Amino acid sequence: MTRASVCTSLIIGCIWAQAQTPLPIPDTLTGPLIQLALQEGTQEFHPGEVVATYGYNGDLLGPTLILQQGEPITLNVTNTLPDLTTTHWHGLHVSPANDGGPHSVILPNTTWSPSFTVMDRASTFWYHPHGHGLTDYQVSLGAAGMIIVRDAQEAALDLPRTYGVDDIPLILQTKAIVSGQVALHTGLDSVVLANGVRNAWKELPAQVVRLRCLNGSSERTFLLGFSNALQFHVIGTDGGLLAAPVTLNRLQLMPGERAELLVDLGGQQGQSFQLMSYGSELPDDIIGAAQVGNGMATLDGYDLNALNGADFALVTFAVGAPTGDGTLVVPTALVPTNAFNTADVDVTRPFNIEPESMGAMQMIEGPFEINGALMDMDVINEVVQLGSTEIWEFINNTMVGHPIHIHDIQFNILDRNGLPPEPWESGWKDVVFVPAMGSARVITRFDDFADPDMPYMYHCHLLMHEDEGMMGQFLVIDPNAVGELMTDQVGLTVWPQPYADGPLRLQAEGLEGRCTVALADALGRTVLLEQTVFSDGRGSIVLPVVAPGHYVLRITARGHVPLATTLIVQP
Ligand code: C2O
Ligand code: CU
Ligand code: CU
């Protein structure tokens, strides 16, 4: 460091020391074996007020996991909380059993050990608890951390990647602290946090710097921008880098979303500026705007919260000396994103979002249903065939915008209200903004992981909505895997046979609960894939209209040899 830069840092340090807190940079952990312990802790968000919190390996938040594409990893997640929990790797492409959704419960004083090979593209992901009805509680108390995946394509680019120096993790959140405790499901989230502290400041080198922004809030959307009108370059979104940087001065980041931004601070040594949320510019279907929808109370205390509709700082940055070996120019090209092709689409699934009961308040406050149902741990809402390319269309019949998240996959946004997405969100995404009284369509393919029993989730990432049931479950089924096991054909009876119309009755001794029924035609093409519930060995399904001929009907159920029989459909 030169003498001049030492002085600059000291001066900047002094100026901000009174009011500002240094931005904490979480420790890093890397493979092949990662130990995480969910624990209770405390934090003074305001000096002198000790608040009970949760964290991974500490009092609040957790270490940043740095993973390498193609490498195997085992995570030991130990629950030292007095409550059950789960830990979900948000955005990672892993099997349902490794995904950490609400079915992968970690009881107190036990350890869950998922193990997988990292398949994801270089990007910024995160981890957080996902217990049924418990997500908001445990995330709001502080349990969440960042995941950085690296890969060869990213490594070949001249991008800032010195963690904590020119590559900065930013977990951006608001929290409600009421009477010395973290409060849930309120509009009083007035404490603004970056990596867990208020009034954070950080010195950045005078060169190109990368900011990995994660909105880890329960409900609040940030409209990111810089106080000095600095333009920034979006280089990546949820699941990967963009084909080329997109230059902007505002970016809407909803709960669950991530964006990697480059800022060029060359020649700006000695300056300081703030990363802001321009809440005054948020449209009125977004939580964080001055009013939501028709202005009826959105959440208790919403009108009293000075952050709503206001512009406020998330982090203050002071520009110090360049590192000498940093990135000096924003690259013009990044990584090609091979979009899915609508010509390959096998299935289009509509998802209608509506309040559970109709009414002006309910249109804003919820609870919200997807396709007429609230989340039920015992109900599979969708069955997807392994390898199929699908369009998921979210139709929002409510007065509030929802960030909808799908587990397992990354998608591309096809359109929103019929129009192409913003250029910056044309890459890999796992959360999509679905505007009030509007719609969004995404396209994806369900590759690699099938499991006849363990579902993945899709849900709103506003954690109150999620916990109130704005979530559904989907299975990915491999019909061919079922076919290989069909040698054991005893015990399955179907009638009427031959079949003409009406319900098809199924009977097989011992079948109980949820089972998957697949019907394949003579060419092996699946014409029906559905879940049905057996009781006392009996179940029934309604067949779609199919051509007359010979079909194979297969049933898979937990703990049973798959069953199959021939079904003759008559003209
Ligand atoms: Cu970040 Cu299903 O969650
Ligand atoms: Cu997720
Ligand atoms: Cu929602």
Side-chain angles (χ1 to χ4, degrees), residues 147-172:
I147 301 174
I148 294 174
V149 174
R150 302 195 187 284
D151 71 11
Q153 281 187 304
E154 189 267 354
L157 296 167
D158 180 11
L159 287 174
R161 61 175 70 79
T162 308
Y163 180 79
V165 176
D166 62 5
D167 183 353
I168 313 294
L170 287 177
I171 302 179
L172 306 172

Side-chain angles (χ1 to χ4, degrees), residues 386-517:
L386 182 69
S388 80
T389 300
E390 304 205 350
I391 291 175
W392 285 26
E393 177 170 23
F394 300 99
I395 303 141
N396 183 359
N397 296 306
T398 79
M399 295 292 284
V400 60
H402 303 275
I404 301 289
H405 169 50
I406 310 177
H407 287 214
D408 177 25
I409 47 82
Q410 291 292 324
F411 52 71
N412 298 130
I413 302 173
L414 279 178
D415 48 41
R416 178 179 292 114
N417 291 345
L419 300 171
E422 305 285 330
W424 72 267
E425 52 174 7
S426 60
W428 299 110
K429 293 282 297 162
D430 57 50
V431 178
V432 61
F433 163 46
V434 186
M437 304 309 289
S439 65
R441 294 194 308 155
V442 304
I443 183 169
T444 188
R445 194 171 57 226
F446 296 86
D447 282 331
D448 305 311
F449 303 112
D451 188 322
D453 290 326
M454 176 80 91
Y456 291 110
M457 306 293 135
Y458 55 92
H459 58 89
C460 180
H461 222 291
L462 302 183
L463 300 184
M464 184 180 91
H465 294 178
E466 174 185 343
D467 282 351
E468 287 180 347
M470 193 178 172
M471 174 149 65
Q473 314 195 74
F474 69 98
L475 284 177
V476 181
I477 302 277
D478 181 356
N480 297 322
V482 176
E484 285 161 25
L485 295 166
M486 59 177 283
T487 44
D488 187 320
Q489 304 204 356
V490 281
L492 174 64
T493 312
V494 300
W495 75 94
Q497 173 91 280
Y499 172 85
D501 52 23
L504 180 71
R505 313 267 171 207
L506 313 161
Q507 183 172 7
E509 203 183 323
L511 284 191
E512 205 55 57
R514 182 156 54 76
C515 302
T516 303
V517 181

